[in-house]
Amino acid sequence: MENTSPQSPDPAAVQSPVQDLTQLRVAVIGAGNMGGPVVRAFLAAGVRPGKLAIVNSTPASSERAAEELGAIAASRAEALEGADVVVLGVKPYQILELAAEIREQLPAGALVISLAAGIALSQIEDALPAGLSVERAMPNTPISVGEGAVGLMRGSSVTDEQHALTRTLFSRAGVAVDITEEQVHAFIAAAGSLPGFVFSILEAMSDEAVRLGLKRDLADSLVQQTVRGAATMLMESGVHAAVAKNGVSSPGGTTVQGLSVLEREGVRPGVAAAMAAAARTSREMTGA
Ligand SMILES: NC(=O)c1ccc[n+]([C@@H]2O[C@H](COP(=O)([O-])OP(=O)(O)OC[C@H]3O[C@@H](n4cnc5c(N)ncnc54)[C@H](OP(=O)(O)O)[C@@H]3O)[C@@H](O)[C@H]2O)c1
């Protein structure tokens, strides 16, 4: 007879920090423009405020950030003691020196997550004790509203469980995708730097709406809502942008006339050139 009784839970799975972030101890060294939103995302994912310690360059700065973000401030030694996850959120030029300074303080089995652009996994791994697990996470600023994108690069010692933990920690940031270090330059073009390009295009659209006679507030809200709506339509329907574009182009109508001007004015090559410049600069920063 088939056994229909419920399976007893696997104790390892129940105790896994991937399942239960409430027991996880996290240290964030450098909670600034990017580290701050990462702290918010981790708290939203379920890390307890009392177990997320922030270390900035001075105690006063750590206290300020901790209060603003809803976590606790700590000294570097306090934060690292017993930490399961250590986020390195300092500037790229500081990160290898920081790694060398903390290498003796890192608990064995800790997972280190670097946010630094342009610093390879192998460089960070070399600065830390052999075999320590290191991931790179490349977030963009919309993670601050839970609508960002995070590219995850997995170091050679990272276990499946640690990688699952990283994905869980970023689960409330927006989308988290696995990429290779070779793909990070394209990721920066398509996600890291893209918010800046979108802000610039939104500004141009709002300005033109004002020139055409709308009040600034109305122009801004119409443009923002429409861009969000257009992106949501594509995401929810799975329809390709080219198909959606054809769908709003009536013969001889307003949209198709505007689209032909966009093509003539070189918007597509302009966007492509901006993204290529971001990817090229990322490559140059890495020395790749
Ligand atoms: N900004 C982005 O859009 C973005 C995107 C992807 C990746 N990143 C990466 O995120 C990292 C941080 O960039 P950011 O823009 O967030 O820079 P940031 O705003 O200047 O933040 C750097 C943080 O590091 C802290 N810090 C500096 N020296 C420290 C030390 N010795 N010990 C502990 N904390 C220290 C600073 O504290 P104080 O405020 O006290 O000085 C500050 O909180 C970089 O590696 C960057 O490549 C940034």
Side-chain angles (χ1 to χ4, degrees), residues 29-36 55-58 61-62 64 76 88-92 94-95 98 101 115-118 137-141 192:
I29 306 182
N33 288 325
M34 204 66 249
V55 188
N56 272 356
S57 61
T58 63
S61 173
S62 306
R64 242 190 338 267
R76 193 189 282 181
L88 305 182
V90 298
K91 289 287 191 192
Q94 299 175 294
I95 197 162
L98 174 65
E101 285 171 13
L115 306 180
M138 184 53 57
N140 64 6
T141 49

Side-chain angles (χ1 to χ4, degrees), residues 201-211 216 219-220 223-224:
I201 292 167
L202 286 171
E203 183 197 21
M205 289 171 162
S206 281
D207 285 353
E208 185 58 16
V210 172
R211 200 186 69 79
R216 170 62 65 183
D220 287 347
V223 165
Q224 289 164 16

Side-chain angles (χ1 to χ4, degrees), residues 143-169:
I143 74 162
S144 58
V145 292
E147 293 285 355
V150 187
L152 298 176
M153 289 153 276
R154 181 174 169 167
S156 52
S157 302
V158 172
T159 64
D160 288 348
E161 181 173 317
Q162 286 173 322
H163 191 57
L165 170 61
T166 306
R167 295 189 71 100
T168 307
L169 285 167

Side-chain angles (χ1 to χ4, degrees), residues 57-282:
S57 61
T58 63
S61 173
S62 306
E63 292 285 352
R64 242 190 338 267
E67 188 168 341
E68 187 187 323
L69 298 165
I72 55 169
S75 69
R76 193 189 282 181
E78 287 165 350
L80 290 175
E81 194 186 347
D84 301 299
V85 174
V86 178
V87 176
L88 305 182
V90 298
K91 289 287 191 192
Y93 73 87
Q94 299 175 294
I95 197 162
L96 295 179
E97 200 181 314
L98 174 65
E101 285 171 13
I102 64 173
R103 56 174 288 144
E104 304 303 335
Q105 293 170 288
L106 282 168
L111 170 67
V112 173
I113 302 176
S114 162
L115 306 180
I119 307 293
L121 279 167
S122 60
Q123 291 175 278
I124 304 164
E125 285 171 341
D126 287 350
L128 293 173
L132 203 92
S133 301
V134 183
E135 296 232 23
R136 280 181 70 188
M138 184 53 57
N140 64 6
T141 49
I143 74 162
S144 58
V145 292
E147 293 285 355
V150 187
L152 298 176
M153 289 153 276
R154 181 174 169 167
S156 52
S157 302
V158 172
T159 64
D160 288 348
E161 181 173 317
Q162 286 173 322
H163 191 57
L165 170 61
T166 306
R167 295 189 71 100
T168 307
L169 285 167
F170 282 106
S171 61
R172 298 292 295 277
V175 295
V177 293
D178 292 339
I179 58 172
T180 64
E181 287 195 291
E182 175 52 31
Q183 288 173 319
V184 75
H185 314 295
F187 181 89
I188 282 173
S193 294
L194 203 77
F197 306 153
V198 173
F199 296 147
S200 174
I201 292 167
L202 286 171
E203 183 197 21
M205 289 171 162
S206 281
D207 285 353
E208 185 58 16
V210 172
R211 200 186 69 79
L212 291 169
L214 297 184
K215 285 193 164 165
R216 170 62 65 183
D217 285 359
L218 182 59
D220 287 347
S221 65
L222 285 176
V223 165
Q224 289 164 16
Q225 171 61 33
T226 303
V227 169
R228 177 166 70 179
T232 305
M233 266 177 71
L234 296 185
M235 290 170 77
E236 291 191 356
S237 66
V239 167
H240 190 274
V243 175
K245 188 180 74 171
N246 289 343
V248 291
S249 299
S250 317
T254 56
T255 306
V256 80
Q257 294 294 350
L259 284 169
S260 74
V261 174
L262 275 184
E263 289 296 329
R264 273 205 307 280
E265 292 289 329
V267 170
R268 184 186 293 258
V271 167
M275 293 175 69
R280 190 171 56 247
T281 305
S282 167

